[in-house]
Amino acid sequence: MSRPLTIAVAQSGAVQKDDPRQANVARLCKMMSDAADQGADIVVFTEIALTTFFPRYYAEDRAEMDQWFEREMPNAATQPLFDLARERGVGFYLGYGELTPEGRHFNTSILVDKEARIVGKYRKVHLPGHDEFDPDRAFQHLEKRYFEPGDLGFPVWDTMGGTMGMCICNDRRWPETFRVMGLKGVELVMLGYNTPSANSQNDGETAEMRKFHNRLTLQAGAYQNSTFVAAAAKAGTEDGHHMFGESCIVAPTGEIIAMAKTEDDELVIAEIDLDDTAFGKATVFDFARHRRIEHYGIISTQTGVTKPSVK
Ligand code: ING
């Protein structure tokens, strides 16, 4: 018995501030069409795939940034992507800025099935950066200013032949992200990321170190929860700000089985077997047999560090 699935990670090259959404969606449609030609079942697009990474810009009036958000999904700009997905019978993950009818702002991703139905929504839980202009930083990273923390938790869905979950960018740096989905039996975690090559607070940190941390977090999340991970970068230079690529697909063993070679729009495709997640879940990461939750309490009851009082 096997459950083959062809995953296409669709890395995006740079999206400039003045690039119209329609042009950006046309690029995504081109990649979806090429992926479908190569037999893809699911295409994984990136975080904030429809626009430039706008949290790098400070606006005193937050309402000025609403131009970067989608008020409904699909909408006029993204309908062609949904139409193509239905026509080609391809599911997809798409990251974008969500502005709800109640006026709430989230860094959101959706999971769309092969009939172009939105089967799942995720809202980024771990927001990096800061909420006020920080003159000490080489550049701003204002996700805490423009988004609320996600309010949907880390759901997973049984769809397209497997148990699928989503996260977004900084979420991958927190093991809780993968473990919560692992405790729900996730077999494929899809995510997008927009990660600057430079550290705005530490110019000694190299791009190589930040690429290492990207691989480390994805490989650890995959291995420690015996799940596939498919991660799509927004890469290249946007308005002078470089973001690294290295979009990749990671096996439940933690091995990277495919990786992007460029910093442009690029498909990273792998034919996987979701049954390959079973051995790890039944042996080394058989959670029911091995975990000792009586010792884990503070992971979910304590936010920051409390040092033990000296005895
Ligand atoms: N970007 C970065 C990320 O988590 C970051 C921000 C980079 C935080 C490096 C910490 C270290 O990959 C987004 N969009 O979260």
Side-chain angles (χ1 to χ4, degrees), residues 47-48 53 55 107 124 126-129 137 139 141 143 147 168-174 192-201 205 210 213-214 217 243-244:
E47 171 192 31
I48 303 187
F53 186 70
N107 188 341
K124 186 174 184 178
H126 300 98
L127 299 172
R137 286 175 181 248
F139 52 89
H141 193 116
E143 293 195 54
F147 303 119
I168 300 174
C169 204
N170 194 260
D171 288 319
R172 72 194 186 288
R173 301 180 190 278
W174 303 93
Y193 58 91
N194 287 227
T195 304
S197 302
N199 183 328
S200 62
Q201 298 173 290
E205 188 176 59
R210 290 163 74 85
H213 290 156
N214 180 50
T217 53
M243 297 180 289
F244 62 76

Side-chain angles (χ1 to χ4, degrees), residues 230-308:
K234 169 95 81 54
T237 300
E238 294 185 346
D239 200 10
H241 297 272
H242 184 265
M243 297 180 289
F244 62 76
E246 297 209 346
S247 303
C248 63
I249 298 169
V250 186
T253 56
E255 294 163 294
I256 293 174
I257 56 179
M259 178 174 272
K261 298 176 177 61
T262 73
E263 293 185 338
D264 304 313
D265 290 5
E266 178 181 348
L267 290 178
V268 180
I269 297 181
E271 294 179 20
I272 67 173
D273 180 352
L274 289 173
D275 281 357
D276 289 347
T277 61
F279 181 73
K281 292 179 190 290
T283 54
V284 63
F285 294 110
D286 178 348
F287 292 162
R289 214 151 54 87
H290 297 305
R291 295 183 72 240
R292 303 302 316 174
I293 59 170
E294 63 272 23
H295 299 299
Y296 303 161
I298 65 170
I299 289 178
S300 64
T301 57
Q302 182 179 316
T303 304
V305 172
T306 304
K307 295 216 170 159

Side-chain angles (χ1 to χ4, degrees), residues 105-121:
H105 298 75
F106 296 102
N107 188 341
T108 293
S109 66
I110 50 172
L111 182 57
V112 181
D113 72 9
K114 297 186 174 185
E115 288 74 42
R117 291 177 307 227
I118 297 177
V119 295
K121 175 180 279 189

